[in-house]
Amino acid sequence: MNFLEITKAVLMNMSLRGAVFSTVFIILLGYYIRKKDLVPANSAKVLSSVLLSVALPALAFKAFLSDINAKTFTSGRNIFIFGFIAYIILILIGRLLYKGLAKDKRDTMTVLTAFGSTTFYGIPIITAFFLKDHPEAVIYANLFNIAYRVFLYSYALMTMSDQKFDPKHLKTIFLNPIVVATFVGMILWFFQKSMPQTTVANPLYVVGSDLPAKLTVSIFRFDLTLPWFVTALGFLASLSSPLAWLAIGMTLSSISMKDAVKDKFVWIYTVVKLFVVPAVFLAVMLAVNSFFPLGYYAIVGVMIMLATPPATVAVSYAIKFEKKKSLLQMLL
């Protein structure tokens, strides 16, 4: 199947349609319950804390509990490398498109264009769309997101604060729970064939089938060696999407849509974020895919993450360092 045929098959998938409906419905539910004061004003912040410290790390780690083969290894390695290249390109695109603006506005627009809310929008949407039938999509999304966090806690922070890099920033980058879970999961996944091995029962085996009754796997394939632990991990991971969408809806309830549509920079940002950036990267990824294989689901995942609204951390930087507050409120 070629790229267009796969895309058509994905769009016709009933699971995808269910995921789209669930996303919209839960966001609207969050909007409604906050707008009606059915939950406290800080509810979105509390949900976000649970999401960032528990649910998303569980999701990131659990995604890597799967088999590896030559194709997924190559795509995983390449999407990890491509992530760093992508954020350099994104920063350059921002600098080029906004070079005529005043420094504060240029910095703000560049950072918010480069750093979307992959944590709250991107990964939960990819998980809802593809986890059941194509779990490798979640692996690729988490690998791509490593570069995102490195640049978010280094370049974005320095740009918005007008500071030079400080070694203490490394702690923020690499001790983030999501980054820790992703790195641990990535190492165990990439090198699972070199890890100490054990023999376990094949959960897919039935009497009379051609499948082997026993499997030899890494002792760190917890889905097979410690299934009860992964069941608990799965419950935590499954909270990611609904918590993120509820928090998004609650946040949207405090934003004036009327004021937002009146500002020309909101429209400039929207066009760049939703059309220019995805178009550039689709062209780049399709061009390099023949000699630097990324894979269809890696490309789709990157496209989803690049089109997300501005990252909460990037917005927080801008507010903290007083970079165009009125613009930020409307871009949210």
Side-chain angles (χ1 to χ4, degrees):
M1 296 177 74
N2 60 34
F3 189 87
L4 292 176
E5 289 173 337
I6 296 175
T7 301
K8 182 179 178 181
V10 169
L11 293 175
M12 294 299 291
N13 187 287
M14 291 304 295
S15 296
L16 176 63
R17 295 181 185 183
V20 171
F21 173 80
S22 300
T23 303
V24 175
F25 176 77
I26 296 174
I27 289 175
L28 291 176
L29 178 62
Y31 181 92
Y32 176 81
I33 62 177
R34 179 65 203 106
K35 202 72 173 176
K36 295 295 183 180
D37 280 325
L38 298 177
V39 294
N42 69 337
S43 295
K45 189 173 182 179
V46 173
L47 291 182
S48 299
S49 296
V50 176
L51 181 71
L52 293 170
S53 60
V54 178
L56 281 171
L59 175 65
F61 183 77
K62 185 176 181 292
F64 288 99
L65 298 177
S66 64
D67 292 329
I68 190 169
N69 55 46
K71 182 179 179 181
T72 54
F73 176 85
T74 300
S75 292
R77 178 199 62 199
N78 290 353
I79 202 66
F80 172 73
I81 296 170
F82 182 74
F84 288 89
I85 298 170
Y87 280 98
I88 293 172
I89 295 173
L90 280 166
I91 291 166
L92 293 176
I93 288 174
R95 290 292 180 188
L96 178 65
L97 291 178
Y98 308 127
K99 65 179 181 180
L101 302 179
K103 184 179 183 301
D104 267 12
K105 187 170 283 189
R106 182 182 69 241
D107 288 345
T108 301
M109 295 285 278
T110 298
V111 168
L112 297 187
T113 297
F115 300 97
S117 188
T118 60
T119 300
F120 284 88
Y121 286 84
I123 290 179
I125 289 173
I126 292 167
T127 301
F129 285 6
F130 300 118
L131 181 62
K132 182 179 178 181
D133 298 320
H134 301 283
E136 69 273 18
V138 182
I139 292 176
Y140 301 149
N142 279 288
L143 288 172
F144 181 82
N145 228 33
I146 290 173
Y148 163 84
R149 294 198 170 276
V150 169
F151 280 94
L152 180 65
Y153 293 117
S154 55
Y155 170 82
L157 175 59
M158 290 185 291
T159 298
M160 300 304 263
S161 64
D162 295 320
Q163 298 176 3
K164 292 185 178 180
F165 182 76
D166 190 314
K168 69 181 180 181
H169 296 156
L170 294 174
K171 181 178 179 180
T172 304
I173 295 170
F174 293 109
L175 293 186
N176 178 286
I178 301 173
V179 173
V180 171
T182 301
F183 266 117
V184 172
M186 177 183 70
I187 291 168
L188 297 181
W189 180 68
F190 269 133
F191 300 106
Q192 60 183 278
K193 295 186 184 298
S194 304
M195 300 285 182
Q197 304 288 297
T198 189
T199 302
V200 297
N202 184 349
L204 300 178
Y205 173 76
V206 292
V207 177
S209 73
D210 294 330
L211 296 173
K214 299 286 185 179
L215 297 172
T216 300
V217 298
S218 163
I219 62 172
F220 299 109
R221 276 294 303 275
F222 297 132
D223 55 319
L224 298 173
T225 59
L226 297 176
W228 42 269
F229 167 72
V230 176
T231 298
L233 202 65
F235 283 125
L236 293 173
S238 66
L239 295 173
S240 299
S241 296
L243 285 181
W245 297 334
L246 282 172
I248 289 166
M250 292 175 187
T251 303
L252 289 174
S253 69
S254 63
I255 296 168
S256 171
M257 300 297 178
K258 187 176 179 180
D259 291 339
V261 297
K262 294 179 181 178
D263 191 283
K264 70 175 182 178
F265 286 104
V266 172
W267 291 105
I268 293 172
Y269 173 84
T270 300
V271 170
V272 171
K273 189 69 173 170
L274 295 183
F275 298 102
V276 176
V277 167
V280 169
F281 274 88
L282 180 60
V284 169
M285 289 187 288
L286 291 178
V288 304
N289 195 50
S290 60
F291 61 88
F292 190 71
L294 299 172
Y296 174 80
Y297 293 102
I299 291 174
V300 171
V302 170
M303 295 294 290
I304 289 172
M305 290 196 286
L306 290 177
T308 54
T312 305
V313 173
V315 173
S316 298
Y317 288 160
I319 293 173
K320 179 178 180 179
F321 300 114
E322 299 182 345
K323 301 273 186 177
K324 297 294 176 184
K325 293 182 182 179
S326 59
L327 175 64
L328 286 169
Q329 290 168 355
M330 289 182 284
L331 289 180
L332 277 171

